Amino acid sequence: MKLIDDYKRRRRDEQELRQSGRMPPGQSLTNRFPVMMAGPIPHVDTASWELRVFGEVEHEMRWSWEAFLALPTVTVTVDVHCVTRWSKFDTVWEGVLFRDFVELFSVKDTAKHVIAHCDYGYTTNVPIEDMMKDDVLLAYKYDGKPLEPEHGFPVRTLVPHLYFWKSAKHLRGLEFSAVDKPGFWENAGYHNYGDPFKEERYQRRGFF
Ligand SMILES: Nc1nc2c(c(=O)[nH]1)N[C@H]1C(S)=C(S)[C@@H](COP(=O)(O)O)O[C@H]1N2
Ligand SMILES: [Mo]
C-alpha cells in the first residue's frame, strides 16, 4: 500500500501547491532530482578551475576555487521549475549572493545582460536586473553538501524565478554585456526570458 499512499500524498501536495499559487501552469511536482544535461557531465578539477569575470566591468577578475570559497555565502530555500514540466519545491542551496559578488569588481552602467559561460560551451543569458534579485546565487552546495557533478559541480548559477535552464551548471565565466547574447537553449527555440508563471517556454524566431 506504500506506493498508493505515496501517490495520494503527492496528489494532495500537488493540489495544495496549485491552490497556493506556487505551481506554475503546466507543471507537476517531483520529489526526485532529475538530471538535465545537453552534453557529457564534466568532471571538474578544482585545482585548475577558475571563475572569470569579464566584459562591462571596471576590473576583470579571476577567482581560484580557494579564493571563491573564502567569499561570504547565504542559504536560500527556493522552488525550481524545469521547462520539461517538473517543478521541485523547497530546495536548499548555499552560495555567494550574486548581488554581493558584483560589488567586488564594479559593474559598468553599460552592462545590461549577464551571460553565464560553462564547460563544453554551454551559455545562457539573463538580464542583469534579474541577477540582482535576493535569491540569485553562485551556488556550490545543495542540501548542505557540495554539488554532485551531474548537478553542476563545482559551481552553478541559481536563478529560481526563471525556468531552470537559466541556472547554468559547471560555471567558468560570467560575462557582463551591453548587448543580449541568447545562449544554448535560447538559440534552440526556447524563450529568451523564460518566466514559468507566464509559460514562456518557446518562442518563434524569424518571419512567421
Ligand atoms: N552547463 C549546463 N548547465 C545547464 C544545463 C546544461 O545542459 N549544461 N541544462 C540546463 C537545464 S535545461 C536544466 S533544466 C537545469 C537542470 O539542472 P539539474 O540537472 O541539476 O536538474 O540545468 C540547466 N543548466
Ligand atoms: Mo531544462
Side-chain angles (χ1 to χ4, degrees):
M1 288 301 99
K2 182 167 183 307
L3 267 179
I4 293 175
D5 287 347
D6 284 353
Y7 175 77
K8 282 188 183 155
R9 184 169 328 107
R10 204 173 136 262
R11 289 300 297 264
R12 200 191 53 223
D13 290 351
E14 204 165 55
Q15 213 167 15
E16 269 176 29
L17 288 162
R18 280 185 208 291
Q19 279 162 1
S20 69
R22 281 173 71 188
M23 182 72 85
Q27 296 292 108
S28 61
L29 171 67
T30 185
N31 294 318
R32 298 183 305 117
F33 197 170
V35 175
M36 311 294 289
M37 196 69 202
I41 293 163
H43 289 267
V44 176
D45 179 6
T46 50
S48 56
W49 177 89
E50 46 176 32
L51 180 62
R52 188 174 156 230
V53 164
F54 60 103
E56 302 293 311
V57 295
E58 294 298 340
H59 312 280
E60 295 200 341
M61 287 178 77
R62 290 165 185 269
W63 278 264
S64 67
W65 179 237
E66 255 180 19
F68 188 73
L69 288 186
L71 300 176
T73 64
V74 298
T75 299
V76 299
T77 303
V78 296
D79 306 336
V80 295
H81 310 291
C82 176
V83 73
T84 61
R85 299 185 182 273
W86 55 267
S87 290
K88 194 167 168 60
F89 292 83
D90 296 315
T91 61
V92 181
W93 305 83
E94 183 182 341
V96 179
L97 187 65
F98 186 85
R99 204 168 57 197
D100 291 344
F101 185 67
V102 298
E103 296 298 319
L104 302 171
F105 43 82
S106 314
V107 176
K108 292 184 182 168
D109 290 344
T110 45
K112 303 292 179 215
H113 307 271
V114 178
I115 319 301
H117 291 259
C118 308
D119 279 88
Y120 300 122
Y122 184 94
T123 64
T124 191
N125 55 321
V126 175
I128 192 159
E129 65 266 25
D130 285 82
M131 295 298 288
M132 297 299 180
K133 293 194 191 238
D134 55 16
D135 54 8
V136 172
L137 304 189
L138 306 178
Y140 60 87
K141 282 187 184 173
Y142 173 76
D143 237 356
K145 293 183 287 288
L147 296 183
E148 301 285 343
E150 58 270 35
H151 291 299
F153 181 87
V155 183
R156 74 185 297 170
T157 61
L158 176 70
V159 188
H161 67 285
L162 300 179
Y163 279 123
F164 207 25
W165 86 76
K166 295 286 188 181
S167 293
K169 302 192 280 190
H170 314 288
L171 189 65
R172 295 276 182 173
L174 290 165
E175 176 185 0
F176 292 78
S177 177
V179 296
D180 199 7
K181 297 185 179 178
F184 182 85
W185 289 114
E186 295 82 7
N187 276 314
Y190 284 83
H191 199 277
N192 195 50
Y193 183 64
D195 181 343
F197 287 91
K198 294 187 183 152
E199 282 208 89
E200 292 175 342
R201 296 174 190 277
Y202 316 105
Q203 70 194 346
R204 290 188 185 175
R205 287 178 184 276
F207 195 74
F208 292 103

